[in-house]
Structures are given as C-alpha cells and as structure tokens.
Amino acid sequence: MFESTRSIMSWLGDCGKVIPVKNNPVQWTTPLRLHVVQPYRKLGGHLITTSLQVLTLQRETDKVMVKRQRTSFPPNFVHSLDGSHMMMTAIACKEVGLSFAAMKNPNSTLLRSKWSPIPIPYRTILEPKGQDIDYINIAHSHLLHSDWAKLDKILTKSNSLRVKHILLKLQNDYVISLKLFKRIELHNPSLLTLETIPSSSTSSPRIVNLCQLNPF
C-alpha cells in the first residue's frame, strides 16, 4: 500500500544522504521560488576566559550534521510543497473574490491526542449583537471554568450563530473546543452546521470575514 509514496520518500532520503557527504547542506527551491537551506550543523565548544571563570559556549561549526540533514529532508521537503500549495490556493481564491482560511496540524500531534481538529467556520458569518454577545461571553466563561452544569442550562437557548462564535473564541484551545463540540453533538447536533446564516430581509447586519479573524 502507498508503494509510490514510500518510493519517493526513500529517494528523498537517499538524496539527503548523498548531498551532505561533501559538507553541503541540503537545499531546494519551492514552487513559490523560496530558497530553503536546512540549517543543521554540528555544534562546537568555544572557551571564554574571564577574571572570575572560564565559560564554555556552544556555537555552530562549518560542518553539517549528516544524519540530521538526511532524516529531516523528506518531511521538510514535503511540508514545503504542502505550504506552497496552500499559499497558491489562497492566492487563486483571492483572485476570484473568495475568502480562504485553513488550519494545519501535524499528523503526529493528532495521532497522539487521538482526536480530529474542531472544524472552524470558514465562510462569512453574521457579527453577533446584543443578547447574542452576552450569551457568547457567558458561555465562554462557563467553558473556561468547566462549569458544565451552568452551561447545560443555557445550551437550550443557543443557536447556530452563537455556537459558531463560541468555537471561534475557543479555536486555540482544542481540548475545551472538543468538549463543547461533543456536548452539543449529544444534546442538539443541528447546532453544529457550518453553513453561513442568511441575513434577514428586514435588517442589514454587518458581516465578519473569518479570514480577518483568523489569518493563516
């Protein structure tokens, strides 16, 4: 399975093994023409003698770390292509008037924590007003203090707009976001829709662009 992928990674590893042999760091140019040089070099000691003591400082030498250059090249190269693709996608979206937002997580981190990232609404949504703002702030406070009893009491008065903005406030706290996500999924899964809430025909609410709230 994934024989082609393993073959490519193996070839990249071989390149990373050969290039540093003559003390050359592995380097390449991304599709965005960004020149990348792996900075892994061996450390050497440097003695500084003072009137009170002798200090030993570590500094990089001119010799590259062959093993580090070899093992780091395949993932670094792939991530550089991944980042280039994301940037090119964002540029293409901007050219046609679309908003773009993304969240990238290392697979190893997700595997260790054994859960998937919370989906953040990526389209434009209405800005909360009045009671919605009060509700979002109160719910956010209950979440931060893990006061689930009080949170359960007000969840019955929640709506899709409020849930989206609560998730936005929690987007950097994945653990609490997951707890909220699971709790709402249990009691009222219909609130977890990520569709943009349509504007009312009787009002002209201001729109919040999520790319401005969470630029990548």
Side-chain angles (χ1 to χ4, degrees), residues 38-42 60 63-65 68-69 72 76:
Q38 293 193 147
Y40 313 122
R41 296 182 179 275
K42 293 182 179 180
E60 289 185 346
K63 296 182 178 180
V64 300
M65 299 173 64
R68 185 76 183 276
Q69 291 282 341
S72 299
N76 286 344

Side-chain angles (χ1 to χ4, degrees), residues 79-98:
H79 284 311
S80 73
L81 296 182
D82 189 17
S84 297
H85 179 266
M86 184 175 68
M87 179 63 73
M88 295 168 71
T89 301
I91 293 174
C93 288
K94 183 178 180 180
E95 290 176 349
V96 296
L98 296 177

Side-chain angles (χ1 to χ4, degrees), residues 41-70:
R41 296 182 179 275
K42 293 182 179 180
L43 298 177
H46 181 69
L47 297 179
I48 298 179
T49 303
T50 69
S51 58
L52 298 177
Q53 59 186 336
V54 177
L55 301 176
T56 302
L57 302 180
Q58 284 190 331
R59 60 169 56 177
E60 289 185 346
T61 65
D62 294 332
K63 296 182 178 180
V64 300
M65 299 173 64
V66 177
K67 182 178 180 180
R68 185 76 183 276
Q69 291 282 341
R70 174 178 58 82

Side-chain angles (χ1 to χ4, degrees), residues 45-156:
H46 181 69
L47 297 179
I48 298 179
T49 303
T50 69
S51 58
L52 298 177
Q53 59 186 336
V54 177
L55 301 176
T56 302
L57 302 180
Q58 284 190 331
R59 60 169 56 177
E60 289 185 346
T61 65
D62 294 332
K63 296 182 178 180
V64 300
M65 299 173 64
V66 177
K67 182 178 180 180
R68 185 76 183 276
Q69 291 282 341
R70 174 178 58 82
T71 58
S72 299
F73 176 49
N76 286 344
F77 180 76
V78 171
H79 284 311
S80 73
L81 296 182
D82 189 17
S84 297
H85 179 266
M86 184 175 68
M87 179 63 73
M88 295 168 71
T89 301
I91 293 174
C93 288
K94 183 178 180 180
E95 290 176 349
V96 296
L98 296 177
S99 297
F100 177 85
M103 179 175 68
K104 185 177 185 302
N105 289 276
N107 292 332
S108 57
T109 301
L110 296 180
L111 289 176
R112 284 197 297 269
S113 56
K114 297 182 179 180
W115 62 277
S116 300
I118 298 301
I120 299 298
Y122 64 93
R123 303 180 182 181
T124 54
I125 62 175
L126 301 181
E127 185 180 63
K129 296 181 179 180
Q131 293 183 352
D132 287 332
I133 296 178
D134 294 336
Y135 180 94
I136 293 167
N137 291 332
I138 292 173
H140 183 246
S141 176
H142 291 338
L143 285 166
L144 294 181
H145 293 88
S146 299
D147 198 337
W148 302 110
K150 292 183 179 179
L151 181 65
D152 288 339
K153 291 181 180 179
I154 66 173
L155 276 181
T156 57

